[in-house]
Amino acid sequence: MKDIGELCKQFGQILGGKAKVKHGVCKVEKDRTNIQVNILGKPSRSGLSVHSMWSFESMDHQGNALNLGETALLQEEVYPFIWELQKSGIMVTSLHNHWLMDSPHLVYAHYASVEEPLSFANKVAEACKILK
């Protein structure tokens, strides 16, 4: 079994985000800095508004782990993005808003798989190519 620290670093490099391991969970975060969003009429640059997060944990002896993801999407990105995920075998588990008074209106996709983390990361990175 690979060292989780090195695997997490590779996971983060594939996804283009900052990787860290805490309590046996690899977590990667990346802000979508190209989207300017207002919440309640005020500009928001916080990671709470426009972000992507991915993680993996609970790796078994075959190298499969629980892989989770969340990505903030513009409305026109929703169907192409989730289509790419589903086409590659990643399960979309939730699709919803976080904010009621946001502009542009953002939709958050949550998705998951049980597989080798770098396989998941490569599939997600491919789906992310459709994002603006």
Side-chain angles (χ1 to χ4, degrees), residues 6 36 62 68 81-82 119 122:
E6 181 58 32
Q36 304 300 314
Q62 289 78 39
L68 303 173
F81 182 76
I82 64 174
S119 175
N122 281 310

Side-chain angles (χ1 to χ4, degrees), residues 11 20-21 26 32 42 53 73 88-89 103-104 112 123 126:
F11 189 78
K20 66 179 177 182
V21 177
C26 171
R32 293 194 62 193
K42 295 289 189 184
M53 293 186 301
L73 303 167
S88 66
S103 177
K123 291 173 183 179
E126 188 64 31

Side-chain angles (χ1 to χ4, degrees), residues 30 32 34-35 51-52 54 70-74 76-82 84 107 109 111 124-132:
K30 180 179 179 181
R32 293 194 62 193
N34 61 325
I35 298 175
H51 68 275
S52 291
W54 304 279
E70 177 185 30
T71 301
L73 303 167
L74 296 168
E76 63 268 20
E77 296 172 330
V78 172
Y79 291 109
F81 182 76
I82 64 174
E84 286 298 320
V107 177
Y111 42 95
V124 171
E126 188 64 31
C128 286
K129 288 180 181 178
I130 68 101
L131 304 179
K132 295 182 176 180

Side-chain angles (χ1 to χ4, degrees), residues 32-46 48-50 74 99 101-106 108:
R32 293 194 62 193
T33 56
N34 61 325
I35 298 175
Q36 304 300 314
V37 66
N38 291 318
I39 299 175
L40 296 173
K42 295 289 189 184
S44 176
R45 307 274 183 266
S46 81
L48 294 174
S49 57
V50 186
L74 296 168
W99 309 103
M101 306 296 186
D102 58 347
S103 177
H105 185 62
L106 300 172
Y108 296 79

